[in-house]
Amino acid sequence: MKKILFAICTAILAVSCTQKPSQQPLENSVVYEMNVRQYTPEGTFQAAQQQLPRLKDLGIDILWLMPIHPIGVEGRKGTLGSYYAIRNYCEINPEYGTMADFEAFLAEAHRLGLRVVIDCVANHTSPDAVWTTERAPEWYERDAEGNTTFTADWSDTANLNYENKDVWQGMADAMRFWMEKGIDGFRCDMACEVPLEFWQETIAGLRKDYPGMYMLAEGEEPELHSLSDFDASYAWELHHLLNSIARGEKNVPELLEYIQKDAQRHPADAFRLMFTSNHDENSWAGTEFERMGDAAKLMAVLTFTLPGGQPLIYTGQEMGWNKRFEFFEKDPIPAWEENEYTDFYKWLISVRHDNPALAAGDKGGVFEVVSTEDSTLVFTRTLPDNKVTVKAELKAPWTYEIVAE
């Protein structure tokens, strides 16, 4: 009898050990942007993998990796170049390690219950990308002299030609390559610089085989959702508004006007990515402390609680890293530590996870303004079995309060 009981217990234990960790629903997930180059002194997947338990403990659900591909040499900016000047979509940047290193990183993230998405840079490649020689000249936009073109001051890139349907298939194949590796979706760079019909066709094709994939668009046109079926899109307008509020230029009326307008423009099920920092803002506009000063924590609270929103945390924010990362050079965080900002983000994430009323899209609770006295906004997010009240003082001393019931 004891032997049978032991065998049963062993079998139960074996089953429990093979079960995947539970994951938050997409609408209640928190996104973390990892800048692999700057994440550790080594700047490798092997080193970053050692930090995954810390991110799990923080409460992160979706891990977005900035571009992981080899960077072009022609026109390279700085010593290491821009992550977004990609030479080969189906290889790993040797700066970060090998494909085996990436696969081990991905496996460990999945073991911990993290979803992993990678950057998809569909608008352009580097000027010396493999496609410039391995594909027909018509794969690229070209000037009168036959030279590849680039946008703005991105002289280290070459624009792809989406009037050529072969490009559509080539990009879709590259995306499928990584889905077959086991990733959970993509963050799509400059999504509106590519025909929305490309995303519509490609996302629909991928979802047939990977129905649970997560798609985040850098852009905020409503058609990214209604036409192209992205789960989430950037709330850029809100981000700039939060900066203005922190500077004392705008306040409650402008915030409420934005909330109303955004709800009218976007489908009810759209996730709106909300943030106080990301790789562009940090490197080019400054850290959240430079832009928002003492209001930075309050603004983060709003990104976790405003209607429709899905919150984003960028590399270093969870320890109050107050430094602009060099974009084209190695400029890593020397060591990770826990401090008041770690506690702050752990608290915010737990509030998010514990309250389905705060979920993104149409799964979240109804938004209602309770009061707007002076510069203090009080609002609720309400579901039949969950209600969250948020009080935010949009001026110094920038106090905030969240009450759940």
Side-chain angles (χ1 to χ4, degrees):
M1 182 67 178
K2 288 183 179 179
K3 289 183 179 179
I4 294 173
L5 182 61
F6 175 77
I8 293 174
C9 291
T10 302
I12 292 173
L13 180 62
V15 170
S16 66
C17 288
T18 59
Q19 290 177 338
K20 291 183 178 180
S22 61
Q23 294 179 323
Q24 288 289 330
L26 285 176
E27 66 270 11
N28 210 34
S29 294
V30 175
V31 183
Y32 186 95
E33 180 185 5
M34 178 182 283
N35 185 331
V36 180
R37 176 185 289 171
Q38 316 299 15
Y39 205 72
T40 61
E42 299 87 348
T44 64
F45 284 122
Q46 286 187 350
Q49 182 175 328
Q50 304 307 310
Q51 298 297 329
L52 290 176
R54 182 183 60 79
L55 290 176
K56 178 64 177 179
D57 182 63
L58 187 66
I60 297 304
D61 306 296
I62 300 174
L63 186 58
W64 152 30
L65 304 179
M66 289 174 66
I68 60 175
H69 313 300
I71 294 170
V73 175
E74 183 178 337
R76 175 176 287 193
K77 295 186 176 184
T79 305
L80 299 176
S82 170
Y83 320 88
Y84 293 87
I86 292 171
R87 190 172 185 278
N88 191 322
Y89 288 113
C90 294
E91 291 184 356
I92 291 292
N93 185 347
E95 180 186 342
Y96 302 158
T98 65
M99 184 67 78
D101 293 334
F102 171 76
E103 290 169 345
F105 176 95
L106 181 64
E108 176 63 6
H110 283 166
R111 187 188 71 80
L112 293 171
L114 300 170
R115 293 183 174 94
V116 177
V117 302
I118 67 172
D119 235 308
C120 172
V121 186
N123 179 57
H124 53 257
T125 69
S126 68
D128 54 350
V130 293
W131 280 3
T132 60
T133 56
E134 294 180 357
R135 301 293 187 268
E138 293 76 23
W139 277 52
Y140 285 86
E141 293 181 359
R142 296 183 182 274
D143 60 21
E145 285 73 41
N147 302 309
T148 58
T149 64
F150 57 86
T151 301
D153 64 343
W154 303 342
S155 56
D156 56 343
T157 68
N159 289 332
L160 288 163
N161 175 23
Y162 275 83
E163 292 185 3
N164 183 350
K165 281 299 189 74
D166 289 341
V167 174
W168 292 36
Q169 187 61 54
M171 190 60 64
D173 289 345
M175 294 173 71
R176 185 170 290 275
F177 172 87
W178 292 104
M179 291 302 298
E180 291 174 355
K181 287 286 183 184
I183 69 165
D184 301 284
F186 298 91
R187 177 268 186 187
C188 298
D189 185 65
M190 302 294 293
C192 290
E193 294 299 310
V194 175
L196 293 177
E197 292 78 10
F198 162 76
W199 296 120
Q200 179 185 34
E201 177 180 303
T202 302
I203 293 173
L206 288 172
R207 285 201 195 279
K208 289 180 180 178
D209 296 321
Y210 308 100
M213 69 186 296
Y214 170 78
M215 294 296 293
L216 165 62
E218 185 195 14
E220 60 183 333
E221 284 74 359
E223 292 78 15
L224 289 164
H225 300 279
S226 60
L227 176 67
S228 302
D229 198 29
F230 277 94
D231 298 292
S233 59
Y234 272 48
W236 274 119
E237 184 178 351
L238 174 67
H239 175 72
H240 296 306
L241 175 57
L242 296 182
N243 284 334
S244 295
I245 293 172
R247 293 192 298 264
E249 299 166 355
K250 297 181 180 179
N251 209 272
V252 173
E254 290 84 0
L255 180 57
L256 294 181
E257 179 185 1
Y258 165 81
I259 293 170
Q260 181 182 25
K261 181 177 69 173
D262 199 68
Q264 292 171 345
R265 291 183 67 223
H266 288 85
D269 61 353
F271 302 176
R272 306 289 285 118
L273 191 78
M274 298 181 179
F275 48 88
T276 59
S277 189
N278 60 39
H279 66 269
D280 285 314
E281 293 301 290
N282 171 275
S283 290
W284 309 119
T287 70
E288 63 269 34
F289 304 107
E290 290 180 74
R291 291 176 283 101
M292 298 174 169
D294 293 339
K297 282 187 176 180
L298 170 63
M299 299 308 169
V301 167
L302 293 177
T303 66
F304 273 74
T305 57
L306 286 176
Q310 180 171 54
L312 170 75
I313 300 171
Y314 178 50
T315 294
Q317 285 195 282
E318 73 271 35
M319 59 178 278
W321 188 247
N322 190 12
K323 185 181 184 299
R324 300 189 189 197
F325 289 110
E326 291 287 340
F327 204 79
F328 308 119
E329 309 292 341
K330 192 78 177 72
D331 186 24
I333 291 177
W336 287 97
E337 62 182 52
E338 293 198 358
N339 53 31
E340 64 173 288
Y341 292 96
T342 315
D343 295 337
F344 170 72
Y345 278 106
K346 279 186 179 180
W347 167 70
L348 268 183
I349 294 171
S350 67
V351 168
R352 180 82 181 197
H353 287 168
D354 293 343
N355 292 281
L358 296 178
D362 54 2
K363 299 291 180 63
V366 174
F367 172 79
E368 184 177 358
V369 176
V370 177
S371 65
T372 58
E373 184 178 349
D374 191 19
S375 294
T376 302
L377 171 64
V378 181
F379 64 88
T380 56
R381 302 282 307 282
T382 307
L383 289 174
D385 57 353
N386 182 221
K387 179 178 180 180
V388 177
T389 302
V390 180
K391 181 178 181 180
E393 190 172 355
L394 303 185
K395 66 176 184 180
W398 309 102
T399 57
Y400 50 85
E401 182 180 7
I402 303 176
V403 177
E405 53 186 278

